[in-house]
Amino acid sequence: MSRIAVVPGSFDPVTLGHIDVIGRAAKIFDEVHVLVVHNPDKTALLPIAQRVSLIQQAVSEAGLTDNIHVTSWSVGLLVDYCTEVGASVIVKGIRSQVDVAYETPMAIVNRNLAGVETVFLLPDPGHAHVSSSLVRQVASLGGDVSPYVPKAVAAFLQQG
Ligand code: PNS
């Protein structure tokens, strides 16, 4: 039986830190579903379909396409998607204690809802300061985001 993991997030936009975690998950699990989910607590910059397209380009750029599937989910709980595709694990990247505090309640709720466990992975410390919100802010003020995002994302944000 193949082990399927879901890497969910807003990915608005995907960063090099996200790609690092996705790559690590792809080495551990047979199949990895990168899932773009709308987060109602955040104001979005990019439409969901654009985020999916940029992740697809970024995983391809990183040579990671083999066991990675990129899609979005908007019709219910994250664990509903996990059940639908037979995923028993959610993977999240942890940059700091702030992320642990943010992720822990969601991990427990997802386990209580459907028995789906969450695995926390540590990205390369070089990405510890990188966040989508920082990238959105720097890009909106005309700064260079290329050190923080895949080439496809930098190119997309620079033309906008
Ligand atoms: O990248 P983000 O914004 O931190 O990702 C958070 C996200 C989208 C994964 C989270 O908000 C989520 O899982 N939303 C789906 C709705 C859901 O299942 N909520 C209950 C469990 S937390």
Side-chain angles (χ1 to χ4, degrees):
M1 207 179 98
S2 69
R3 279 193 173 272
I4 304 173
V6 175
V7 184
S10 301
F11 301 109
D12 187 30
V14 66
T15 67
L16 290 175
H18 292 133
I19 296 297
D20 179 298
V21 168
I22 291 164
R24 290 174 199 282
K27 284 188 199 154
I28 299 170
F29 298 96
D30 299 311
E31 208 180 301
V32 169
H33 292 224
V34 182
L35 192 70
V36 179
V37 188
H38 172 66
N39 185 339
D41 297 333
K42 295 181 178 172
T43 306
L45 171 71
L46 304 176
I48 300 255
Q50 187 65 59
R51 296 183 225 167
V52 169
S53 166
L54 288 172
I55 298 167
Q56 281 165 337
Q57 292 173 62
V59 297
S60 169
E61 193 181 288
L64 291 171
T65 45
D66 278 1
N67 58 343
I68 296 178
H69 177 70
V70 186
T71 189
S72 63
W73 182 248
S74 57
V75 292
L77 293 165
L78 169 60
V79 292
D80 293 339
Y81 178 86
C82 295
T83 304
E84 192 165 295
V85 300
S88 54
V89 173
I90 292 166
V91 170
K92 292 288 190 87
I94 293 292
R95 292 162 298 186
S96 69
Q97 289 302 317
V98 175
D99 283 347
V100 175
Y102 171 70
E103 297 292 350
T104 299
M106 290 196 276
I108 291 171
V109 167
N110 285 327
R111 183 164 64 195
N112 289 345
L113 282 168
V116 178
E117 296 288 351
T118 298
V119 169
F120 293 145
L121 294 181
L122 303 176
D124 185 298
H127 300 304
H129 58 292
V130 179
S131 69
S132 297
S133 59
L134 204 74
V135 167
R136 287 198 299 275
Q137 188 177 100
V138 172
S140 72
L141 297 170
D144 178 18
V145 294
S146 60
Y148 314 120
V149 295
K151 285 190 176 59
V153 175
F156 177 82
L157 292 176
Q158 271 152 22
Q159 40 157 315

